[in-house]
Amino acid sequence: DDLTSNLKDFWAYDIASDTWEQLPEFPSLNRHHPFYFSIGKDVFVGMGHGSVEVEDWDVYRDFYKFDTEDYTWTRLNDFPGEARVAGTQFDYNGKGYILHGEGEDHQILDDGEFWEYDPADDSWKQLISVPNGSLWAPGSFVVGNTVYSVAGSTYTYVNIKDMWAYEFAPASSTTNLEKNSGFTISPNPVND
């Protein structure tokens, strides 16, 4: 129903059987270049560019969760920043992240905005921006506790070959504590 190749079908790939399964479709407007990441058993999808205007723009800020156990979609709080399309995304340590992209006017954002999503309370927090402005369709990957933002294009379609690194604080660790001076800490040991 859309001549611009905006879609909302949703698929799962089974590596072991080399097969695809069509899942319940995305519950909002057709779109392309959304942001997406997974945390635990849930997949998070939102934003992107479509052909239907919402609040005078065809770049969106809506956000959804797909539960891979019961195959249901849940609408979450909208992304609080400027609507956006075609950045990069990843998950790390139980949170989701989006980086770069174009804004609601389908122009490169002034800054390489970096946002963190916390599924525990369905909230977003803006982190420090990547220097030198935003990019269209960059890549990203995580090694250890460092995320790397790689390449992308400017609004004038100049390919950028820069790589930026952002180091997350190392995960905290605990040691087993013993009973001492009349107090206890439990559970012992503790994870997370």
Side-chain angles (χ1 to χ4, degrees), residues 92-104:
Y92 172 75
N93 203 24
K95 295 182 180 174
Y97 297 86
I98 67 170
L99 182 59
H100 290 295
E102 291 186 346
E104 59 197 11

Side-chain angles (χ1 to χ4, degrees), residues 69-145:
E69 290 180 344
D70 64 15
Y71 284 28
T72 58
W73 286 98
T74 302
R75 173 99 188 233
L76 302 170
N77 291 324
D78 285 356
F79 175 68
E82 184 177 341
R84 64 198 57 223
V85 58
T88 188
Q89 62 278 307
F90 61 94
D91 63 275
Y92 172 75
N93 203 24
K95 295 182 180 174
Y97 297 86
I98 67 170
L99 182 59
H100 290 295
E102 291 186 346
E104 59 197 11
D105 58 359
H106 217 292
Q107 303 293 314
I108 293 290
L109 296 163
D110 292 335
D111 294 315
E113 291 185 10
F114 188 23
W115 290 80
E116 175 183 85
Y117 176 75
D118 188 341
D121 59 2
D122 186 19
S123 67
W124 290 92
K125 175 174 78 173
Q126 190 169 6
L127 304 177
I128 188 169
S129 294
V130 175
N132 297 340
S134 190
L135 295 171
W136 167 266
S140 63
F141 59 92
V142 179
V143 177
N145 65 325

Side-chain angles (χ1 to χ4, degrees), residues 1-2 4-9 25-34 45-64 73 75:
D1 69 299
D2 188 334
T4 60
S5 300
N6 293 319
L7 302 170
K8 64 182 193 174
D9 55 341
E25 69 180 23
F26 183 68
S28 186
L29 298 168
N30 294 10
R31 63 194 67 199
H32 66 275
H33 289 134
V45 183
M47 296 159 272
H49 181 240
S51 55
V52 176
E53 286 192 3
V54 175
E55 299 177 10
D56 299 323
W57 303 104
D58 57 2
V59 175
Y60 309 130
R61 63 171 29 101
D62 56 340
F63 197 59
Y64 301 83
W73 286 98
R75 173 99 188 233

Side-chain angles (χ1 to χ4, degrees), residues 145-173:
N145 65 325
T146 304
V147 61
Y148 297 88
S149 170
V150 183
S153 296
T154 66
Y155 180 67
T156 57
Y157 301 105
V158 173
N159 292 326
I160 302 299
K161 298 178 183 177
D162 292 352
M163 181 184 308
W164 293 91
Y166 178 89
E167 187 173 330
F168 291 97
S172 62
S173 62

